[in-house]
């Protein structure tokens, strides 16, 4: 016996009352659905939220982040899953090993679900505006971590138009999450940040900017930026950092010669000469950078100093293999601290939403 199936008569459209909202049908009385008051026009513009620059945080906020980073480095399980039921977006338009992995792993460890975007995944690549992109991401995500080589204002725009917390995982002007990791590494090694004397060697890039803004908040520190002429921190950025530093009896200076370097240094820090996502107009720029190379001879001027590098490293350019892999190098602990600092930054962002 073959059972016959009969299609039910369609429910006539006329049985659904018209809604005042376009494309939205008001259900019949038998339904539990209710009329939704849909957004009309564009969402309102709000003030940006998140972590954009360490020039915008105070000593208490930064100190809380680096101390929490050290706590997470000691025990990454000491949290209450602050990102449970949250969706975190990761927008990385430039290459990343440590920062992308750190924020991805940190978000997962704190209970979030992830949505990841590469450089050509969003309609930004086809001409959609930042403003419209922010509105859409803000409607669907709880938090966005973004790395670009573009202006920092692009991240602020995404936050303002999306009413969305945004974490700067590196922009053209600054790399604040790197400095949080760097200062947490110093705190873990020395027990304090106040009073540290740091020599930074190489290009005045976004890592150097963040380090300057971070150390400016601590008392009695000295940061000497040894950079090639024309490749240092921009004057306006240096002035801001040095001005905040003076309030804390900290000194930030930029020099272009090895002569007259401080007699006491606790940390020698360098980065790769070619900053991620950037190029240099001068074809002979490497010749200008060669004197700004950290080897055993330079590090030997300060027998008690440790070495730090934010990676990736080009052995033989900004640093020798012996220094990078030597027993005075904190580089690998510094890299591991990026996970802990990402957890601290995300946790703070979760509680301040």
């Amino acid at each position: 016996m073959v059972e016959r199936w009969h299609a039910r008569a369609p429910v006539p459209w006329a049985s659904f009352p018209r809604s005042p909202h376009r494309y939205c049908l008001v259900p019949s009385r038998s339904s539990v659905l209710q009329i939704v008051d849909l957004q009309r026009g564009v969402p309102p513009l709000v003030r940006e939220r998140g972590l954009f620059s360490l020039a915008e945080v105070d000593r208490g906020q930064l100190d809380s982040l680096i101390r929490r980073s050290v706590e997470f480095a000691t025990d990454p399980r000491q949290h209450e899953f602050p990102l449970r039921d949250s969706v975190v977006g990761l927008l990385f338009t430039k290459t990343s090993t440590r920062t992308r992995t750190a924020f991805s792993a940190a978000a997962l460890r704190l209970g979030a679900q992830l949505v990841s975007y590469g450089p050509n995944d969003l309609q930004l690549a086809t001409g959609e505006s930042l403003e419209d992109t922010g509105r859409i991401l803000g409607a669907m995500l709880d938090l966005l971590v973004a790395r670009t080589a573009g202006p920092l204002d692009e991240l602020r725009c995404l936050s303002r138009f999306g009413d969305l917390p945004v974490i700067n995982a590196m922009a053209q002007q600054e790399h604040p999450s790197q400095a949080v990791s760097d200062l947490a590494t110093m705190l873990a090694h020395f027990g304090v940040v106040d009073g540290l004397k740091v020599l930074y060697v190489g290009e005045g890039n976004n890592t150097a900017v963040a380090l300057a803004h971070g150390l400016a908040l601590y008392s009695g520190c000295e940061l000497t930026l040894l950079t090639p002429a024309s490749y240092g921190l921009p004057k306006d950025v240096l002035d801001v950092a040095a001005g905040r530093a003076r309030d804390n009896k900290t000194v930030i200076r930029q020099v272009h010669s090895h002569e007259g370097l401080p007699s006491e240094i606790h940390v020698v820090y360098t980065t790769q000469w070619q900053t991620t996502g950037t190029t240099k107009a001068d074809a002979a720029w490497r010749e200008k950078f060669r004197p700004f190379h950290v080897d055993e001879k330079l590090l030997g001027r300060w027998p008690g100093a440790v070495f730090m590098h934010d990676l990736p490293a080009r052995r033989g350019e900004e640093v020798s293999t012996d220094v990078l892999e030597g027993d005075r190098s904190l580089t690998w602990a510094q890299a591991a601290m990026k996970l802990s600092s990402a957890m601290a930054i995300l946790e703070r962002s979760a509680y301040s939403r």
Side-chain angles (χ1 to χ4, degrees):
M1 177 178 179
V2 178
E3 184 177 358
R4 295 183 179 276
W5 293 85
H6 300 278
R8 294 182 179 179
V11 178
W13 283 102
S15 65
F16 291 91
R18 293 275 183 172
S19 167
H21 302 281
R22 193 179 183 190
Y23 305 128
C24 181
L25 295 174
V26 180
S28 65
R29 293 181 179 178
S30 62
S31 171
V32 297
L33 295 178
Q34 301 296 320
I35 295 175
V36 177
D37 187 14
L38 296 179
Q39 172 76 45
R40 295 171 185 260
V42 297
L45 192 64
V46 299
R47 183 178 179 180
E48 67 261 21
R49 297 181 289 141
L51 176 64
F52 299 96
S53 168
L54 294 189
E56 300 168 352
V57 305
D58 59 32
R59 161 73 183 254
Q61 292 169 327
L62 180 56
D63 206 54
S64 175
L65 282 177
I66 69 171
R67 290 183 183 280
R68 188 65 171 137
S69 299
V70 175
E71 290 175 0
F72 277 134
T74 304
D75 182 4
R77 298 166 298 179
Q78 55 172 302
H79 59 81
E80 297 179 354
F81 297 97
L83 291 178
R84 183 186 284 118
D85 298 326
S86 297
V87 180
V88 174
L90 275 82
L91 171 59
F92 277 68
T93 64
K94 295 298 176 182
T95 57
S96 174
T97 298
R98 281 147 293 278
T99 305
R100 184 168 183 170
T101 304
F103 275 107
S104 299
L108 291 171
R109 287 172 182 261
L110 295 176
Q113 300 294 314
L114 294 181
V115 181
S116 294
Y117 310 102
N120 298 309
D121 290 342
L122 298 178
Q123 295 291 1
L124 278 169
T126 66
E128 186 169 22
S129 70
L130 275 169
E131 294 82 357
D132 288 351
T133 302
R135 290 174 180 127
I136 298 306
L137 295 181
M140 300 181 184
L141 301 175
D142 297 295
L143 194 152
L144 178 67
V145 179
R147 160 173 286 197
T148 74
L152 184 54
D153 281 346
E154 292 182 353
L155 303 188
R156 297 187 191 278
C157 178
L158 290 172
S159 178
R160 286 197 303 270
F161 282 85
D163 191 10
L164 181 68
V166 174
I167 294 169
N168 174 11
M170 193 188 79
Q172 187 180 77
Q173 293 99 322
E174 189 176 341
H175 193 353
S177 66
Q178 179 64 54
V180 174
S181 176
D182 296 340
L183 295 176
T185 303
M186 295 178 197
L187 176 64
H189 180 75
F190 294 102
V192 295
V193 176
D194 292 314
L196 290 182
K197 296 175 171 57
V198 179
L199 173 65
Y200 175 93
V201 183
E203 185 177 42
N205 56 20
N206 45 32
T207 291
V209 169
L211 185 64
H213 286 317
L215 282 173
L217 297 177
Y218 288 86
S219 62
C221 294
E222 292 183 17
L223 171 61
T224 303
L225 298 145
L226 175 60
T227 65
S230 303
Y231 291 98
L233 265 66
K235 184 179 184 305
D236 58 338
V237 173
L238 187 63
D239 288 346
V240 169
R244 296 183 88 193
R246 280 193 294 272
D247 294 337
N248 298 306
K249 297 183 179 179
T250 281
V251 176
I252 296 178
R253 66 171 80 84
Q254 184 163 260
V255 299
H256 306 301
S257 168
H258 289 70
E259 296 179 5
L261 291 177
S263 59
E264 183 181 15
I265 290 291
H266 300 114
V267 179
V268 176
Y269 190 130
T270 194
T271 68
Q272 65 174 343
W273 291 340
Q274 185 71 4
T275 303
T276 300
T278 66
T279 57
K280 293 178 174 62
D282 184 0
W285 67 268
R286 288 184 186 277
E287 293 306 312
K288 297 179 180 179
F289 273 71
R290 293 198 188 283
F292 300 87
H293 167 81
V294 181
D295 55 16
E296 289 186 306
K297 180 179 178 181
L298 179 65
L299 191 61
R301 293 177 61 172
W302 304 281
V306 296
F307 174 75
M308 294 177 63
H309 192 308
D310 63 348
L311 299 178
R314 290 183 177 271
R315 294 164 172 82
E317 286 197 352
E318 76 275 4
V319 63
S320 68
T321 298
D322 289 342
V323 168
L324 183 67
E325 300 181 2
D327 57 10
R328 295 169 64 185
S329 175
L330 296 182
T331 301
W332 312 104
Q334 178 186 0
M337 188 66 77
K338 294 205 73 169
L339 170 60
S340 305
S341 61
M343 291 179 70
I345 293 168
L346 287 172
E347 181 185 59
R348 183 196 119 174
S349 300
Y351 287 134
S352 61
R353 281 184 293 169

